[in-house]
Amino acid sequence: MRIVSLAEITAALDEGIDMAAVAQSFVDFTRGAVQNMAVGHLRFASSDCHVKGGGVEGAPFFTVKVANDAVIDGATVAHGVVVLCSTVTGKVVALLQDEGQLTAIRTALASAIGARAIARPGARTLGIVGTGNQARLNAQVVARMLGLETILIWGRDAAKAQALAQAVGGQVSTLEQVCAADIIVTSTTAKTPILTRAMVPAGARIIAMGADAPGKQELETALVASAKVICDSKEQCIDHGECGWAVREGLLPASALLELGEVLATSQTFGAQDTVIVDLTGLGAQDHAIASSVWSRLG
Amino acid sequence: MRIVSLAEITAALDEGIDMAAVAQSFVDFTRGAVQNMAVGHLRFASSDCHVKGGGVEGAPFFTVKVANDAVIDGATVAHGVVVLCSTVTGKVVALLQDEGQLTAIRTALASAIGARAIARPGARTLGIVGTGNQARLNAQVVARMLGLETILIWGRDAAKAQALAQAVGGQVSTLEQVCAADIIVTSTTAKTPILTRAMVPAGARIIAMGADAPGKQELETALVASAKVICDSKEQCIDHGECGWAVREGLLPASALLELGEVLATSQTFGAQDTVIVDLTGLGAQDHAIASSVWSRLG
């Protein structure tokens, strides 16, 4: 078993290739070509654990990802590993000590993939809701990949919003300003909605990724019910994603949901007045894609 | 992160203490004191992967177990690791390179725990259905822990049955002889039933552990429907355990199922003519219990 350090992983990242691999994983997932393990959760007073796994018949490796978050002195700290196993022999081939970073990066890449799929032509501004590590990565990757010039930041904690604005070359803004951005990305740990239908203009483009476990919600159900919703996995999103609330309340029929892999495969377009939400719960297939992509360059 | 080799793990095993820890995990699971992660499966042409996780609020560690089986030249080979993480900080503290052995051992201990809970007084003979590594461990641990004098072995492959009989000091037998044993333990990968209601005398005591994933079945549904059934987890057993078939076919009401933790906590007894089945799908709580028990002796 090879142990791969975070430094080696970081050196082996290739944003363009990894993004293409993650985009392909959405398409493969939707067409049923990739196995996506049921999501495992554990939740304790100061930490939680997410386990995801994925693999493709005929590929040399499958992966199991353990990603933990803990809140230490008010800050969220990520830890974790990715286990790579041989699809042929079942042997554990490698342990990637990614400390949760591959999860954070594939999630930011998924934001950019979702944002590209739904952006209106001429999009220039990016609105970021949230101020954590994931919000920072989302701001950097989405702005870079879509060539967005202006980054507007809103967070509950003004000091953290200011720090993030400095880190990514953005500006602290009101929630109203963020909601008027061409692309809005929400990545908070909210358990009650932050964005309401009244705040968000028609035609908004929202990437929501905070709802990755039961009980989390960033968007008012009325906003979700008024929008075209694109899930990474319909099954996972109905179970614990952002749109699950609206579906369970009967405000949004499950039959109206799209899946990101389908939108990517068909290059589907949306009307200028359509509010479009990409609901990201995170797939084992994405973890598998980025781990395989990185591993292929670790020689 | 400490890497613990299989040799270190093996040296740190303590059958009595580990058995008590696993028994306690069933009781804790049933009373809701332990978190048990949703089971993750991946299945490929020559390998499959089971992921389980468990933890207890207030305990120092939680665990995520990756256990893989592959069929190589007709023989099943196990691999895997257990990841220990801090419940407080989320940090990955240790990687136990158990190669699936902690799973095999906690499963054999669960057989012995289940067998003790349901054995008729004066039980002397053990019937083993199956000839793999798990069947060998079950035979050894159950016979030792219950003081059973005679081990009767049946398997589809006569040569493997002979090899197992030699390894454990047992004797190759007919399926009819095995079914007449005081305790019967089935651990095969069967997808169609091996034991039928007609084969098994009233009052039989059966531990069935082959059905650990959807599609597996060792016991005829009529046999299961005629018995008192004790699940490690009602939820998991209904989903993919041995009794799930009978429950889904409407032959056995879910309300009739017992849980092993309840039987252990209340020292429940059974009538001499009751056929009793313990249905073991395997709990993340058990993996957590044995990994924590072993880790506590690794210094």
Side-chain angles (χ1 to χ4, degrees), chain A residues 35 43 46-47 68 87-88 90, chain B residues 35 43 46-47 68 87-88 90:
Chain A
Q35 291 185 57
R43 190 173 298 178
S46 67
S47 69
N68 306 329
T87 309
V88 178
Chain B
Q35 291 185 56
R43 189 172 300 177
S46 68
S47 70
N68 307 329
T87 309
V88 178

Side-chain angles (χ1 to χ4, degrees), chain B residues 4-91:
Chain B
V4 183
S5 70
L6 179 57
E8 289 176 275
I9 294 166
T10 304
L13 288 168
D14 181 310
E15 197 166 58
I17 297 175
D18 295 337
M19 186 164 167
V22 172
Q24 188 61 43
S25 77
F26 287 118
V27 176
D28 289 345
F29 171 74
T30 292
R31 68 186 178 89
V34 55
Q35 291 185 56
N36 195 54
M37 193 176 273
V39 179
H41 290 140
L42 295 172
R43 189 172 300 177
F44 304 99
S46 68
S47 70
D48 68 7
C49 169
H50 287 237
V51 175
K52 289 176 180 169
V56 179
E57 186 69 74
F61 306 108
F62 64 85
T63 54
V64 177
K65 183 272 299 272
V66 179
N68 307 329
D69 279 327
V71 178
I72 310 286
D73 297 332
T76 300
V77 182
H79 291 290
V81 291
V82 181
V83 182
L84 251 87
C85 305
S86 164
T87 309
V88 178
T89 66
K91 267 191 194 169

